[in-house]
Amino acid sequence: MSIEIANESGADVDTDAVLAVARHALDEMGVNPLAELSVLLVDIEYMSELNHRWMGGDGPTDVLAFPMDEGSVDHGPGESSPAGGEPALLGDIVLCPEVAAKQAAAAGHTTADELHLLTVHGVLHLLGYDHAEPEEEREMFGLQARLLASWRSTRSQ
């Protein structure tokens, strides 16, 4: 699994932990090990620009996911690998640590915990999950909670 991370946010972030939780989520979801993912951490100004340009939103958001090759994602043993064994380009996850810090304070946990949650959230969006409808939200958020719990249990061993 190729995961690239770039911290352009100016915030002090444990990028190794962000990489680890992304890798855990992809592994648990049965994503092809040849898949490629990019994670970018940005400041509020750049996240606001991206949110406006791509989502029509005002101001910064916490996470954005930009899927690439949705059709070539291997979701498990029931599907064949991408044509020719080429790596699937899952896409990009963009995180904003400053927004994550505010949300973490409101939720009563650490910024690191919030960034881990947002990373898993972004991975699930890249894999085609959404939360626009109540049923989709229950499924996605339930899966997100299970992935985070299993990742935390492996870290505490």
Side-chain angles (χ1 to χ4, degrees):
M1 188 90 44
S2 173
I3 304 174
E4 291 187 23
I5 190 164
N7 184 357
E8 297 176 5
S9 69
D12 185 20
V13 174
D14 182 353
T15 55
D16 289 342
V18 171
L19 283 174
V21 73
R23 186 175 310 280
H24 177 81
L26 292 168
D27 288 345
E28 290 294 307
M29 294 301 293
V31 172
N32 186 316
L34 296 177
E36 296 179 7
L37 169 68
S38 169
V39 179
L40 177 63
L41 294 101
V42 299
D43 62 19
I44 281 186
E45 184 179 324
Y46 190 60
M47 184 58 105
S48 296
E49 182 183 319
L50 290 175
N51 190 31
H52 179 72
R53 184 182 329 148
W54 297 105
M55 307 303 289
D58 287 326
T61 189
D62 50 5
V63 59
L64 289 171
F66 298 100
M68 295 292 187
D69 275 347
E70 290 182 45
S72 67
V73 175
D74 183 356
H75 289 283
E79 294 184 11
S80 60
S81 61
E86 291 296 315
L89 298 173
L90 291 178
D92 303 320
I93 296 171
V94 184
L95 302 168
C96 185
E98 276 186 81
V99 174
K102 291 175 186 170
Q103 291 177 177
H109 56 241
T110 68
T111 300
D113 284 341
E114 187 72 13
L115 285 169
H116 303 157
L117 180 150
L118 295 172
T119 300
V120 171
H121 191 87
V123 166
L124 291 175
H125 273 308
L126 292 180
L127 297 178
Y129 289 87
D130 201 358
H131 47 84
E133 301 296 326
E135 188 174 314
E136 293 174 332
E137 182 176 338
R138 277 191 299 279
E139 179 185 14
M140 183 176 178
F141 284 58
L143 186 52
Q144 178 178 290
R146 287 192 299 279
L147 289 168
L148 283 167
S150 67
W151 181 69
R152 288 181 182 129
S153 73
T154 62
R155 287 182 51 123
S156 64
Q157 293 174 353

